[in-house]
Each structure stands twice: as structure tokens, then as C-alpha cells.
Amino acid sequence: LGWIGMKVTDTSLLGHVGTHALAASSLSDLWTSASGVFIQGRVLNIFVGNAVGAAKAGLAPWSAAGEWLQVSIWVLSAISLVVIGLWAATAPILKLFGQTDLVADAAYFSLVLMSCIPARVVFSQLSQYLSAQGIVK
């Protein structure tokens, strides 16, 4: 929800700057959304929920849920490096698809979004971890 709110704010503010900036951000969003799907990591909720259920039944230690969180963050950190590389290569990739006039601004916008990747990964995993335990809803 926070990511969507940020994107809506970006779009509404860039709409006042001009159509070129809005088009460049839209082009950047197309690429970053298509490649950013790899860092969503929505499976942690299931693993932590199972670990908590097993711990309540006495079948597993309570630390298993925390171990899943650590594994998830490490795996997504490795995948994030690939996504960071893809977002850093926005300009050559857009040129490969035939874009010319918006490439520089779209690449800059992707680089700015790239700085949010570590926080995005940690926040999504912590929210799933806490939600699976019923701490937050």
C-alpha cells in the first residue's frame, strides 16, 4: 500500500511538471514494475504461519519463524542485486526496445527508485513476518 501511495504521489506531482516528465516516469514504471516483481517475496507469510502453528503444537522450536525471516531476507537480498542491476540498466534496455527521447529521464527515475529497494524488501518481509504471527493485521 505504501509503494502504491508513493507512485500515486509521484504521478500527481510529475503531472504538474509536464507531459515529458510524466511520460518518462510512466516508461520507467513499466520497466521497474515488470522487473521488480522478483523482489515481492510473498511466500514468507505461509512459512512463518506454519512454523508458528508447529511451535504452538510443540512440534518445532519457536525460533523456526525467525529462521524463515532470515532466510527470506538473505534470498531476497541476492535477488535484489539482480533487480538493482536491471534497474541500473534501464537506459540501454529502453534503447533496445526503440525508445529514444525519454530514455535519459526514465533512467534517472529508475535510479531514484533503485535506492528504495533495500527498504522495500525489509519492510515487506517484516510485515509478512509480523502478520503471520498475528502481531499486526
Side-chain angles (χ1 to χ4, degrees), residues 1-22:
L1 191 57
W3 186 260
I4 294 169
M6 185 179 79
K7 300 308 299 168
V8 168
T9 304
D10 291 347
T11 303
S12 63
L13 291 175
L14 286 172
H16 292 288
V17 172
T19 57
H20 179 82
L22 189 58

Side-chain angles (χ1 to χ4, degrees), residues 58-82:
L59 301 174
W62 280 98
S63 63
E67 291 169 3
W68 279 118
L69 174 64
Q70 293 172 16
V71 167
S72 174
I73 288 178
W74 278 107
V75 168
L76 283 175
S77 294
I79 294 170
S80 292
L81 295 176
V82 174

Side-chain angles (χ1 to χ4, degrees), residues 8 11-12 18 20 28-29 34 47 51 54 58 60 66 71-72 84 98 102 104 106 108 110:
V8 168
T11 303
S12 63
H20 179 82
S28 173
D29 284 343
F47 289 141
V71 167
S72 174
I84 286 171
L102 300 171
Y108 178 75
S110 295

